[in-house]
Amino acid sequence: MSPLANETKRNLLFVINPVAGNRPKKNIPALVKKYLDTGSLNYELGFTTHKGHAKSLALDAVKANFHGVIAVGGDGTINEVGQSLIGTSTAMGILPCGSGNGLARFMHIPMNLRRAIEVINQQYLVKIDAAKANERAFFVTAGIGFDAHVGKLFAKSPHRGFGSYVQAVLSSIFTYLPQNYQINVNGELMQTKAFAITLANSGQYGNNAYIAPQALINDGLLDLCIIKPFPRYLFADLSLRLFNRTIDQSRFVVIQKITSLEIFSEGVENYHLDGENFEMEQNLKLEILPESLNLMIPTPSMKNAV
């Protein structure tokens, strides 16, 4: 990859994941051609063919001094692209095409692709935090417990979309057992039994389900969200609280701002980063990378129209 011919324009690479979410991608090139401001922006298209490909395409764009890389997909695609852009001057844009679109929704990026392209045309940038769990980057949420278990089931499903995720939740809610954890929070060791533990960089999982209603993505902190064991008949109430942004008011949920965290657990099989599942290691150590990624978002005036 090399910088495009006209050096007076800013160069963009669109990294398109053809299998992300359940929205067809075949019309993306035509939409970009029609609505992108090609008077000030040059662009190339890159289609991913395998896991990790978005990361390598974005890294090539950084090496070629591209101004921005546009992740066309869901939070998994965004995660791969963002990994390569941390600490660089190359910005990330988003055309949300995933199942949950957690980061795009949190940052008020339109779900309508034409309007999302208009955001890219504006080139309005902010710096956001990134985080790492055992050296693997994430930008939305990381978690162990029930949400990681459901994420593993969802990953195995032949169907994408919110409905498939709900099906995975309902198949496990009455059988999943809370686990015991040892946690080092801001240097203080504690024991806890939890249904789920989420580390939130942004406030929501996706689909506007807010696990950390007070989270800020540029405060240099993570929100540690512990869902304690609860009677299963309250599952509907807790679910509703996710969507009306009152989960932090439940007596079964504890949320605190943290600067560092290490989790030790026996018997936990997996954890997730931005919905991507990994096998659990002996411990899970998290760190925060404050304001380390440039992100294209709506201007204040555009945000009010989203």
Side-chain angles (χ1 to χ4, degrees), residues 46-291:
F47 292 84
T48 63
T49 59
H50 55 271
K51 185 176 179 180
H53 196 191
K55 182 178 180 181
S56 62
L57 287 173
L59 184 59
D60 288 343
V62 171
K63 292 176 179 177
N65 295 315
F66 273 50
H67 173 72
V69 180
I70 314 304
V72 186
D75 287 322
T77 307
I78 291 167
N79 181 286
E80 284 197 26
V81 169
Q83 287 181 53
S84 294
L85 306 186
I86 291 174
T88 75
S89 60
T90 303
M92 181 169 69
I94 300 173
L95 293 189
C97 296
S99 301
N101 301 306
L103 184 59
R105 292 181 190 274
F106 185 74
M107 300 305 295
H108 301 281
I109 294 170
M111 296 298 103
N112 178 281
L113 294 182
R114 176 180 175 177
R115 293 172 68 189
I117 292 172
E118 291 173 359
V119 170
I120 295 167
N121 288 336
Q122 293 290 323
Q123 293 291 296
Y124 184 73
L125 304 182
V126 296
K127 288 185 177 293
I128 68 169
D129 299 342
K132 285 187 176 181
N134 290 3
E135 296 303 316
R136 294 188 177 102
F138 68 97
F139 305 93
V140 187
T141 60
I144 57 177
F146 183 72
D147 56 338
H149 174 75
V150 168
K152 186 176 183 178
L153 295 179
F154 180 65
K156 294 179 179 179
S157 172
H159 306 292
R160 311 307 291 168
F162 185 60
S164 297
Y165 189 84
V166 171
Q167 186 176 14
V169 169
L170 295 178
S171 69
S172 305
I173 186 60
F174 294 106
T175 56
Y176 181 82
L177 298 177
Q179 303 290 324
N180 292 307
Y181 301 93
Q182 185 180 66
I183 308 175
N184 189 329
V185 183
N186 297 336
E188 183 177 340
L189 201 62
M190 61 178 284
Q191 304 277 347
T192 188
K193 189 170 188 177
F195 182 74
I197 297 177
T198 298
L199 289 308
N201 187 40
S202 73
Q204 62 164 286
Y205 291 127
N207 289 301
N208 290 320
Y210 275 75
I211 183 62
Q214 307 303 320
L216 298 173
I217 204 166
N218 58 355
D219 60 356
L221 302 170
L222 290 174
D223 284 43
L224 170 63
C225 313
I226 300 176
I227 301 180
K228 298 183 290 185
F230 61 90
R232 292 302 192 270
Y233 67 83
L234 290 178
F235 172 69
D237 175 72
L238 287 174
S239 298
L240 178 62
R241 287 181 178 277
L242 285 173
F243 290 97
N244 65 19
R245 305 188 189 190
T246 61
I247 192 73
D248 53 340
Q249 298 175 28
S250 169
R251 68 182 185 277
F252 297 103
V253 177
V254 176
I255 299 178
Q256 69 178 102
K257 303 281 186 180
I258 64 168
T259 56
S260 64
L261 179 76
E262 192 166 9
I263 302 175
F264 310 87
S265 181
E266 296 181 3
V268 177
E269 296 182 353
N270 64 302
Y271 65 98
H272 80 84
L273 305 176
D274 292 345
E276 184 76 17
N277 269 267
F278 301 91
E279 289 187 7
M280 186 65 184
E281 300 162 51
Q282 184 176 6
N283 64 320
L284 198 60
K285 190 172 184 178
L286 291 101
E287 61 176 316
I288 304 164
L289 307 174
E291 297 188 343

